[in-house]
Amino acid sequence: MRSWITRGGLTALALLAAGWGVSPQAACAAGPAAAKDFRSAPIKTSEWQNASTRPLETGEIDRLIVKELQVSGIRPAGRTTDEQFVRRIHLDLTGKLPLPADVTEFVADTSPNKRAKLIDRLLDSDEYAAHWAHYWRDVMSARLTDFRGRALSRSFEGWMIEQLKKNRSWDKIARDLLTAEGECRFDDTGKTGNIFFLGAHSGADAPSEMAAETSRVFLGIQINCAQCHDHPYDQWKRAQFHELVAYFARTGNRLVRDTESNRFVGIALTSPPFRREHRMPSKDDPRTGTVVHPKFLDGTSPGRALGDRQRRNSLANAVTGKSNYWFSGAFVNRTWGELMGQSFYQPVDDMGPQKEAMFGPVLTRLAGSFRGTDHDIKALFRAVLNSETYQRQTRLGESAGEHLQFAALYPTRLRADALWDSLTTVLGRMGAPGGGPARRPGAGGPFAGRFGLEGQFKEEFRFDPSLKPEDVEGSIAQALILMNNPQINQRIAATGNNVLGRILSAHASDEEALHMVYLRALARKPTDREKQKCLSYIKKIGKRTEAFEDILWALINSTEFQTKR
């Protein structure tokens, strides 16, 4: 087999540069970029508190967004085609590409409510639960530095999948994570996975890390900047950070050792037998400090004579309480940002009383309705996904960081799991003998299959989902994996028992085969221009299998394949 980085690679690269749908613009709707007069401002406390908690009406999200766009003088993008929608909704809800039959069947369906029906079907699928469990695993593990703590993420995935399958409310999920007790083993499949959120932090800084992550993940507030000094750009004081840390002053963990092998097999959350308290270090002499007691960010205190379990229960009450609008606001802001490509507050975990939000009235209304449904996750998804706002075409601004003001969808890179699943949907399963990845015992989540292609791929393409999309950058190593990995290229090669080989055997017509290759890789038909270029290229090469291998290679290496549009 020839080298893909030499003749075939250079040929395909030339085709990519010639405009084979590889630029972000190729996947975007034509239209004017958003105006630079951003409609952003801090949200007042009264606006949060007075937001209606009644359920969202059909079309209400669109009316709110259009009202804001009219003030800005921005014309929203048009509606997605059926092909665009079916790819987008599958990637957003399952992290997987639709199969060609899914696309063809959906496009042929003439029922007026087919999009709503597809949304419901995917929300009820196991793939939805798995995909969003992976998302929350990445959110909560992105800033961990302890390998042993990250190894618990496999158990967390299993636990989170079950919560999402049952559609447990977000406040109950958060409470279970904040009040977890007991031990979790590295090979646990999910029974005790709620220990991961706190148990993954160890050492002297563990209480501070627990407090910072609790605020960031559940409140969307990065209060850790106030750890050493008053926050320079927000209202948070140094004392407030350490009062939050005090909730975890008596929360510890230990490694669990197997009695027979004497190996470490898990992590347990523990409470010390003595009444340990948190000390806020002195600015002048860090070796000394002042004892501080638990106090929430709103100034309420649970009292001082409480043990670890009571303190964390009190914190869970404060975090998830109906009066704490930051809790519902943070979840809505994060979910909206993941679905739309841009959030109201950017980045999604940097909200706060003095931070500016885009279209604050829309966020407060969505957060109010989320509170009103008792934090029903699927109800929020249905409201957003069925809106015309979500179903608009993709558009780019004049600069990478320009906010589109939700006049269109902002293109985002696929996360590692979704990109891998897309790749295996197109090419078939890859990895260790037997089709699965080689697994290192005790490793899970980001480390599952670390020594197989799947594990290497996911580790290389992994990024923090809390980052703004324009801050997620590709790397040379990522490009080389897709361009020149032997296992991937073996799957691209047209043989009798792989995907491309079967397509070419089933379709003697080059035009029909090309149609199927595009449906498989990009979930759409080729444009007239693409079809003309491809057919000319096939004729020029003279070898049908070689030409189609180049075409498939080019599509997989395209920006369109690696992007949600």
Side-chain angles (χ1 to χ4, degrees):
M1 180 179 175
R2 60 195 166 79
S3 170
W4 289 87
I5 201 65
T6 54
R7 181 192 166 198
L10 291 176
T11 302
L13 282 175
L15 290 168
L16 287 169
W20 278 41
V22 297
S23 69
Q25 289 86 348
C28 299
K36 295 182 180 180
D37 181 20
F38 291 166
R39 297 271 297 158
S40 60
I43 301 177
K44 298 177 182 179
T45 300
S46 59
E47 294 174 316
W48 285 110
Q49 294 175 335
N50 297 332
S52 172
T53 58
R54 60 178 171 76
L56 288 162
E57 299 174 358
T58 302
E60 186 175 359
I61 291 176
D62 300 318
R63 292 193 294 272
L64 291 169
I65 293 290
V66 168
K67 180 180 178 181
E68 297 289 341
L69 291 177
Q70 287 174 342
V71 175
S72 299
I74 298 175
R75 179 173 58 85
R79 203 179 199 227
T80 55
T81 65
D82 282 345
E83 284 181 334
Q84 292 167 339
F85 176 80
V86 72
R87 180 181 189 269
R88 180 187 298 177
I89 200 67
H90 271 83
L91 288 173
D92 270 335
L93 289 185
T94 71
K96 300 177 184 293
L97 280 174
L99 294 172
D102 297 325
V103 179
T104 303
E105 181 180 350
F106 185 78
V107 172
D109 188 351
T110 58
S111 58
N113 63 336
K114 65 180 183 180
R115 295 193 178 195
K117 287 166 57 179
L118 178 58
I119 290 168
D120 286 341
R121 180 169 65 81
L122 295 180
L123 277 174
D124 288 336
S125 68
D126 291 347
E127 288 80 4
Y128 153 76
H131 176 59
W132 281 89
H134 293 160
Y135 171 79
W136 286 107
R137 175 206 69 197
D138 288 350
V139 168
M140 296 177 189
S141 67
R143 304 184 187 189
L144 290 175
T145 56
D146 188 337
F147 172 82
R148 292 170 299 188
R150 286 180 67 190
L152 291 180
S153 62
R154 180 186 178 193
S155 178
F156 170 74
E157 279 182 51
W159 179 84
M160 192 67 179
I161 286 172
E162 289 305 310
Q163 312 312 302
L164 294 173
K165 280 184 179 179
K166 298 173 183 175
N167 195 34
R168 289 194 75 213
S169 62
W170 181 237
D171 59 313
K172 288 185 173 66
I173 292 174
R175 174 176 290 279
D176 284 353
L177 293 172
L178 292 173
T179 61
E181 294 181 305
E183 70 177 44
C184 181
R185 296 188 170 232
F186 298 136
D187 60 357
D188 180 88
T189 56
K191 185 177 180 181
T192 57
N194 58 320
I195 289 173
F196 165 69
F197 181 69
L198 298 180
H201 302 279
S202 61
D205 292 331
S208 295
E209 292 176 2
M210 292 175 187
E213 284 296 276
T214 296
S215 179
R216 184 182 75 86
V217 173
F218 298 119
L219 306 178
I221 294 172
Q222 297 205 28
I223 196 174
N224 55 309
C225 291
Q227 182 170 358
C228 302
H229 48 74
D230 292 345
H231 200 300
Y233 305 116
D234 219 326
Q235 69 178 36
W236 311 116
K237 305 299 182 185
R238 184 167 179 256
Q240 288 179 289
F241 173 81
H242 289 280
E243 288 165 348
L244 192 62
V245 176
Y247 280 99
F248 301 102
R250 299 176 181 180
T251 308
N253 69 15
R254 62 176 174 80
L255 289 170
V256 177
R257 192 185 293 271
D258 181 73
T259 54
E260 294 184 2
S261 66
N262 205 33
R263 293 174 54 199
F264 291 119
V265 293
I267 293 174
L269 284 172
T270 62
S271 299
F274 52 89
R275 299 178 66 83
R276 185 169 62 190
E277 299 292 358
H278 176 65
R279 285 181 173 269
M280 180 171 66
S282 168
K283 290 183 178 180
D284 299 323
D285 184 2
R287 292 172 298 179
T288 63
T290 305
V291 172
V292 294
H293 299 282
K295 185 181 291 186
F296 196 56
L297 301 182
D298 61 2
T300 59
S301 173
R304 299 185 179 185
L306 297 177
D308 172 51
R309 183 174 182 180
Q310 291 75 24
R311 288 186 181 190
R312 290 194 281 126
N313 268 304
S314 176
L315 177 61
N317 290 337
V319 168
T320 64
K322 289 291 185 70
S323 62
N324 179 21
Y325 45 79
W326 292 113
F327 178 69
S328 55
F331 187 87
V332 169
N333 185 57
R334 181 179 284 278
T335 302
W336 181 275
E338 187 67 13
L339 296 174
M340 291 294 300
Q342 292 181 322
S343 49
F344 298 97
Y345 287 93
Q346 293 204 122
V348 293
D349 56 1
D350 197 12
M351 302 168 62
Q354 293 175 287
K355 297 295 177 67
E356 292 190 344
M358 179 66 66
F359 294 0
V362 184
L363 173 58
T364 55
R365 175 67 184 103
L366 286 171
S369 69
F370 187 51
R371 289 202 309 275
T373 63
D374 293 326
H375 306 106
D376 186 325
I377 296 174
K378 284 189 179 180
L380 176 64
F381 270 98
R382 284 192 180 91
V384 175
L385 297 174
N386 279 291
S387 71
E388 288 297 315
T389 301
Y390 169 79
Q391 296 183 26
R392 289 180 183 140
Q393 295 193 5
T394 306
R395 182 183 290 176
L396 289 177
E398 292 180 357
S399 61
E402 184 179 350
H403 203 296
L404 300 182
Q405 302 185 40
F406 314 124
L409 196 85
Y410 190 91
T412 55
R413 289 173 63 93
L414 295 181
R415 291 187 295 108
D417 290 281
L419 186 57
W420 173 260
D421 286 341
S422 295
L423 193 65
T424 55
T425 296
V426 176
L427 301 180
R429 295 185 65 187
M430 293 175 285
R439 289 188 178 273
R440 186 181 64 79
F447 296 94
R450 186 178 178 91
F451 297 112
L453 175 60
E454 179 182 354
Q456 295 168 4
F457 185 96
K458 291 181 178 179
E459 189 68 14
E460 189 62 52
F461 282 87
R462 185 170 61 91
F463 60 84
D464 183 352
S466 299
L467 294 173
K468 292 190 291 186
E470 61 268 23
D471 292 339
V472 179
E473 298 180 348
S475 67
I476 293 175
Q478 290 175 356
L480 289 176
I481 287 177
L482 282 173
M483 288 172 58
N484 209 39
N485 178 271
Q487 288 176 267
I488 292 175
N489 284 328
Q490 285 172 9
R491 284 291 183 175
I492 292 175
T495 61
N497 60 352
N498 71 0
V499 174
L500 182 57
R502 291 195 296 270
I503 289 175
L504 295 181
S505 296
H507 300 280
S509 164
D510 289 343
E511 187 170 335
E512 291 179 0
L514 183 66
H515 180 93
M516 288 303 299
V517 168
Y518 262 78
L519 273 180
R520 190 90 186 188
L522 302 183
R524 67 172 176 84
K525 304 184 297 291
T527 65
D528 290 341
R529 181 170 179 267
E530 288 169 335
K531 182 168 65 175
Q532 181 183 0
K533 277 184 170 291
C534 290
L535 294 176
S536 297
Y537 181 72
I538 295 167
K539 184 177 180 180
K540 175 183 176 182
I541 293 297
K543 296 180 180 179
R544 189 176 191 237
T545 56
E546 183 177 317
F548 269 95
E549 288 169 357
D550 282 354
I551 291 169
L552 181 57
W553 182 93
L555 295 181
I556 286 172
N557 281 277
S558 70
T559 300
E560 183 174 349
F561 178 77
Q562 300 170 47
T563 304
K564 190 195 79 171
R565 63 189 196 279

